[in-house]
């Protein structure tokens, strides 16, 4: 044991002595001009190193430098700046005049991908024939090799043309590459923009063996968390994997085998983009469940309890747009073309559960065509094909909805309409407007539609009961049968609807059930949430008493006006006037019959005078 310890001590002394001799005999500043020359010869970039280079022995033999910068040819600003740089080098190759760098580490680096850091050729620079990259200068007696790169606590500034700058902070990168230009990368960073904070980390394998013609990467792990304005209180958290490939001749970016999760939503599929002056997108996505309410704050309005809980939460403010003007004319659609296909087994939006959703959307430099947007809701289905034309200064939208047997109650609740109406809605129509949101639809859209409803129930007012109570109060010979709930029910209902800047006109309203029949017209103010409708209601059942009067009532439409705020409707009936007119008509009919049979009677003149007064 004593001999082993003695041997280890001797080896340690020799190692320390060797390193000490190396540090004393080899000046790291001798490598400065060589490294600068190699970087410029291989890439054309200018490497600047401030201050002297110095050795760092423990725990890894390294060369330390002060501030450094790397600048592209003709650029006005450096592409990379760092407070310090560390080169971890191998010991033995130094003895044979080889500078083998295991790892380059940059700490506190600032990486700028902006127009100011791009390579620029001088206007008067001569253009020579293309030539391969010159080999390293063999006369110098040194060779240069890098296997690892480490970037810690750094910042990336990205800007495309005149767009807004995006800053990526807290960048930590660990990269290892082999002689075949295949690299393993581990990265983590944080992006803060528009009052939103994105934290992400990824693990990827990069293949640059065919660079610059082709660059491919396999992202085997991607974790992220997005928090901030217009997002749920707990943010959006998820993970993903995908394969990416860049094809330089076509300037084409491909994302394949995409697997992405966001809270309880998921996406799979492929996407590609040709990055020319105007980008060309092709996207094909699938989803098992797409919960939009879980991705946007305050989007679900399903019941009172949910609303109360949302009010108790501290809502985050909307993002502050630097220009102060919200982009609502969809001009960004003019900058690209796109073909998008989306299929989702389940979609949750505003508390509504849709199934078998299919969408096929194309954009042609500002003309967005929705050739297919369809899905199922409950036992019904809906389709909303249309287009958005943003090629002019004033955008124009038009849609041709087709709805079949959709339960209307949850739809009204989801869009905050305080109308207690239920039933199976079918509709087919054409609508147009200038903005694609619920508020714009209420205020500035126009269109026409034919509407039919089955098994309709309107809470808060019973037309049959209103009429029967009015009749029984004015006539003791007639009674109503039984008590009824405060609800009007129709087996079927149809109408023609016209929308004009917030006013919905209903014409040719026709409805019937086993108890009543009605016709009518009316208007609904979608902005003020008020209505004014006029019905002619005939109660065909539910009477008892004077059979002759009941027969009259079963065939006599009673005018009924319903008006006022949706949450507090008013009504007016004209039962007395109708009954009086009906009695007058019956009296005239009987007097005319009597005159026809007794023309020669002495009382005929008196009866005729009475008819003239009626």
């Amino acid at each position: 044991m004593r001999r082993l310890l003695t041997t280890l001590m001797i080896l340690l002394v020799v190692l320390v002595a060797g390193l000490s001799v190396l540090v004393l005999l080899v000046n790291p500043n001798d490598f400065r001009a060589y490294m600068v020359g190699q970087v410029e010869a291989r890439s054309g970039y200018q490497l600047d190193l401030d201050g002297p280079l110095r050795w760092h022995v423990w725990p890894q033999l390294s060369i330390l430098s002060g501030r450094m910068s790397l600048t592209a040819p003709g650029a006005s600003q450096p592409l990379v700046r760092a407070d310090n740089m560390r080169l971890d080098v191998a010991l033995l190759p130094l003895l044979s005049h080889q500078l083998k760098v295991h790892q380059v580490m940059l700490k506190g680096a600032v990486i700028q991908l902006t127009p100011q850091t791009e390579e620029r050729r001088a206007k008067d620079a001569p253009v020579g024939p293309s030539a391969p990259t010159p080999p390293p200068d063999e006369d110098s007696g040194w060779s240069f090799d890098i296997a690892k790169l480490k970037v810690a606590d750094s910042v990336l500034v990205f800007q495309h043309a005149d767009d807004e700058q995006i800053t990526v902070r807290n960048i930590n990168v660990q990269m290892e590459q082999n002689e075949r230009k295949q690299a393993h990368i581990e990265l983590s960073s944080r992006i803060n923009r528009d009052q939103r904070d994105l934290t992400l980390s990824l693990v990827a394998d990069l293949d640059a063996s065919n660079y610059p013609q082709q660059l491919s990467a396999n992202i085997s792990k991607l974790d992220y968390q997005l928090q901030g304005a217009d997002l749920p209180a707990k943010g959006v958290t998820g993970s993903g994997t995908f394969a990416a490939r860049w094809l330089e001749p076509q300037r084409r970016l491909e994302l394949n085998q995409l697997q992405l999760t966001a809270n309880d939503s998921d996406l799979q599929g492929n996407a590609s983009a040709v990055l020319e002056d105007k980008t060309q997108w092709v996207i094909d996505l699938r989803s098992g469940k797409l919960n939009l309410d879980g991705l946007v704050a305050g989007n679900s309005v399903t019941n009172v309890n949910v609303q109360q809980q949302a009010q108790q939460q501290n809502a985050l403010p909307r993002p502050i747009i630097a220009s102060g003007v919200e982009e609502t004319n969809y001009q960004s659609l003019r900058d690209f073309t796109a073909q998008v296909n989306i299929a989702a087994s389940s979609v949750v939006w505003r508390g509504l559960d849709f199934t078998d959703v299919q969408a096929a959307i194309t954009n042609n430099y500002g003309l967005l065509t929705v050739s297919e947007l369809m899905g199922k809701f409950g036992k019904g289905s809906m389709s909303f094909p249309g287009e958005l034309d943003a090629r002019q200064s004033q955008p124009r939208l038009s849609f041709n909805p087709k709805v079949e047997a959709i339960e209307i109650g949850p739809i009204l609740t989801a869009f905050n309409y305080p109308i207690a109406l239920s039933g199976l809605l079918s509709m087919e129509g054409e609508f147009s407007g200038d903005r694609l949101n619920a508020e714009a639809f209420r205020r500035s859209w126009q269109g026409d539609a034919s509407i039919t409803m089955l098994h309709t129930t309107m809470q808060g007012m019973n037309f049959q009961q209103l009429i029967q109570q009015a009749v029984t109060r004015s006539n003791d010979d007639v009674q109503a049968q039984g008590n009824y709930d405060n609800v009007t029910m129709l087996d079927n209902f149809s109408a023609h609807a016209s929308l004009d800047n917030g006013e919905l006109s209903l014409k040719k309203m026709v409805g019937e059930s086993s108890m009543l029949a009605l016709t009518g017209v009316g208007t609904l103010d979608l902005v003020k949430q008020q209505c004014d409708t006029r019905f002619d209601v005939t109660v065909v059942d539910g009477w008892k008493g004077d059979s002759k009067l009941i027969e009259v009532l079963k065939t006599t439409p009673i005018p009924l006006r319903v008006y006022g705020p949706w949450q507090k409707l008013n009504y007016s009936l004209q039962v007395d006037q109708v009954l009086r007119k009906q009695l007058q008509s019956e009296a005239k009919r009987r007097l005319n019959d009597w005159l026809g049979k007794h023309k020669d009677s002495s009382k005929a003149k008196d009866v005729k005078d009475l008819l003239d007064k009626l």
Side-chain angles (χ1 to χ4, degrees):
M1 185 67 180
R2 187 175 297 176
R3 290 182 179 180
L4 177 61
L5 293 175
T6 302
T7 303
L8 292 176
M9 290 300 296
I10 292 173
L11 291 175
L12 180 61
V13 170
V14 171
L15 180 60
V16 172
L19 292 175
S20 301
V21 172
L22 180 64
V23 170
L24 291 174
L25 296 181
V26 179
N27 185 358
N29 290 284
D30 294 342
F31 305 141
R32 179 194 296 271
Y34 172 73
M35 288 189 294
V36 172
Q38 288 296 304
V39 170
E40 185 173 8
R42 293 171 183 266
S43 65
Y45 284 68
Q46 180 64 45
L47 174 65
D48 292 326
L49 300 173
D50 292 342
L53 303 180
R54 60 190 186 277
W55 286 111
H56 181 76
V57 177
W58 186 261
Q60 165 69 43
L61 182 62
S62 306
I63 298 175
L64 302 181
S65 75
R67 294 182 179 178
M68 61 81 62
S69 64
L70 188 66
T71 307
S76 60
Q77 295 183 10
L79 176 68
V80 180
R81 291 177 294 141
D83 294 336
N84 57 70
M85 179 175 67
R86 190 184 81 192
L87 305 178
D88 296 338
V89 301
L91 174 61
L92 294 179
L94 288 175
L95 302 178
S96 59
H97 285 203
Q98 293 181 359
L99 181 61
K100 186 171 184 179
V101 180
H102 288 308
Q103 177 173 267
V104 176
M105 178 177 178
L106 301 178
K107 186 174 179 61
V110 177
I111 306 167
Q112 297 187 92
L113 300 178
T114 66
Q116 292 76 21
T117 64
E118 292 180 353
E119 179 179 351
R120 297 180 183 274
R121 180 182 297 273
K123 295 182 179 179
D124 55 350
V127 178
S130 59
T133 302
D137 186 4
E138 298 180 355
D139 295 337
S140 64
W142 294 96
S143 65
F144 191 59
D145 189 16
I146 299 176
K148 298 180 181 179
L149 172 65
K150 185 176 182 180
V151 179
D153 301 331
S154 300
V155 175
L156 169 65
V157 179
F158 176 79
Q159 183 183 22
H160 178 68
D162 296 328
D163 295 340
E164 181 183 356
Q165 284 189 356
I166 299 176
T167 302
V168 184
R169 304 183 185 278
N170 298 345
I171 297 178
N172 293 279
V173 179
Q174 181 75 45
M175 184 184 75
E176 299 181 13
Q177 68 170 345
N178 56 27
E179 64 278 1
R180 297 186 298 274
K181 295 184 179 180
Q182 296 173 337
H184 179 76
I185 302 173
E186 298 182 7
L187 178 146
S188 64
S189 64
R190 181 174 62 86
I191 305 173
N192 186 279
R193 187 184 185 196
D194 292 341
Q195 298 185 18
R196 295 189 181 100
D197 190 85
L198 173 64
T199 302
L200 62 86
S201 62
L202 66 83
V203 177
D205 292 295
L206 181 68
D207 186 354
S209 57
N210 295 322
Y211 182 81
Q213 299 302 314
Q214 179 176 316
L215 185 67
S216 60
N218 181 31
I219 288 77
S220 57
K221 181 182 178 182
L222 171 64
D223 297 321
Y224 69 92
Q225 184 178 33
L226 180 62
Q227 294 180 310
D230 273 2
L231 293 171
K234 295 183 180 180
V236 178
T237 303
S239 60
T241 61
F242 61 92
R245 184 171 65 161
W246 170 254
L247 302 174
E248 177 61 30
Q250 298 88 3
R251 295 191 59 80
R252 178 184 176 88
L253 176 65
E254 297 179 350
L255 301 178
N256 298 313
Q257 303 173 20
L258 176 65
Q259 300 280 341
L260 183 67
T261 64
N263 291 346
D264 59 344
S265 300
D266 64 88
L267 277 176
Q268 305 87 38
N270 306 299
S272 65
V274 179
L275 303 182
E276 299 292 347
D277 292 337
K278 294 192 175 183
T279 307
Q280 303 172 21
W281 287 94
V282 177
I283 300 174
D284 187 3
L285 298 175
R286 303 174 304 279
S287 175
K289 180 179 181 181
L290 193 58
N291 185 358
L292 302 179
D293 291 347
L295 302 178
V296 180
N299 199 33
S300 176
V301 187
T302 56
N303 52 51
V304 176
N305 292 332
V306 173
Q307 294 179 11
Q308 291 175 349
Q309 293 175 4
Q311 292 172 359
Q312 293 173 359
Q313 295 177 353
N314 293 326
L316 293 171
R318 294 183 62 85
I320 297 175
I321 308 301
S323 63
V325 179
E326 184 180 0
E327 201 278 330
T328 55
N329 55 7
Y330 312 104
Q331 289 187 358
S332 58
L333 294 174
R334 307 176 190 175
D335 300 332
F336 66 94
T337 65
Q339 296 181 1
V340 181
N341 293 293
I342 301 175
S345 300
S346 173
V347 175
V348 180
W349 180 56
R350 288 182 171 265
L352 305 173
D353 294 319
F354 300 92
T355 58
D356 297 336
V357 176
Q358 303 281 340
I361 304 171
T362 61
N363 178 47
N364 187 18
Y365 302 119
L367 179 59
L368 187 145
T369 303
V370 183
S371 57
E372 183 180 62
L373 179 58
M374 59 187 301
K376 297 179 180 179
F377 182 67
K379 297 182 179 179
S381 63
M382 56 180 60
S383 175
F384 293 91
E387 70 175 26
L388 189 163
D389 192 346
R391 294 173 295 182
Q392 306 299 325
S393 58
Q394 184 69 22
R396 190 66 179 170
L397 296 94
S398 61
F399 286 87
N400 302 319
K402 184 177 181 180
V403 175
E404 295 183 1
I406 293 295
E407 177 56 52
I408 187 62
I411 304 292
L412 295 173
T413 301
F415 287 92
N416 302 321
Y417 283 115
I419 302 177
L421 180 67
S422 63
L424 299 179
L425 170 69
S426 296
M427 178 186 70
E428 187 169 358
E430 299 179 357
F431 294 92
S432 62
D434 58 354
R435 297 290 184 272
L436 190 59
N437 56 64
E439 185 62 22
F441 183 83
R442 290 187 180 101
R443 295 180 177 273
S444 59
W445 279 58
Q446 304 86 34
D448 297 280
S450 59
I451 298 174
T452 60
M453 293 186 67
L454 299 176
H455 313 302
T456 306
T457 300
M458 187 180 72
Q459 300 286 342
M461 189 170 292
N462 188 328
F463 290 179
Q464 176 189 352
Q465 187 181 49
L466 293 177
I467 294 174
Q468 288 182 334
Q469 287 179 347
V471 171
T472 56
R473 283 196 300 265
S474 61
N475 195 312
D476 296 334
D477 296 331
V478 178
Q479 293 83 38
Q481 294 180 355
N483 296 319
Y484 304 99
D485 296 330
N486 194 23
V487 59
T488 298
M489 293 184 291
L490 296 173
D491 294 334
N492 55 73
F493 173 83
S494 64
H496 179 81
S498 296
L499 178 64
D500 185 13
N501 297 325
E503 183 175 279
L504 181 65
S505 300
L506 297 174
K507 302 177 181 178
K508 299 180 180 179
M509 288 191 289
V510 177
E512 63 179 4
S513 70
S514 60
M515 303 299 292
L516 59 83
L518 63 81
T519 60
V521 296
T523 59
L524 301 177
D525 192 321
L526 303 183
V527 179
K528 297 179 180 179
Q529 296 190 356
Q530 294 184 346
C531 75
D532 189 357
T533 54
R534 299 174 184 273
F535 300 98
D536 289 328
V537 183
T538 303
V539 180
V540 298
D541 201 355
W543 302 102
K544 63 181 180 178
D546 186 348
S547 61
K548 293 183 179 180
L549 181 56
I550 289 175
E551 291 302 320
V552 172
L553 291 171
K554 287 182 177 181
T555 58
T556 302
I558 305 298
L560 171 64
R561 180 190 177 198
V562 180
Y563 61 97
W566 295 349
Q567 294 177 316
K568 191 177 180 181
L569 293 173
N570 303 307
Y571 73 93
S572 64
L573 279 168
Q574 301 177 9
V575 175
D576 295 339
Q577 296 90 326
V578 171
L579 292 178
R580 186 180 300 112
K581 289 181 180 179
Q582 185 65 32
L583 291 174
Q584 288 176 347
S585 298
E586 181 65 19
K588 286 183 179 180
R589 184 185 66 78
R590 293 187 179 186
L591 290 174
N592 282 323
D593 291 343
W594 188 88
L595 282 176
K597 296 178 181 180
H598 304 84
K599 293 181 179 180
D600 299 330
S601 174
S602 59
K603 297 181 180 180
K605 185 177 182 303
D606 295 334
V607 172
K608 188 175 181 180
D609 292 339
L610 180 59
L611 281 173
D612 293 339
K613 293 179 180 180
L614 294 175

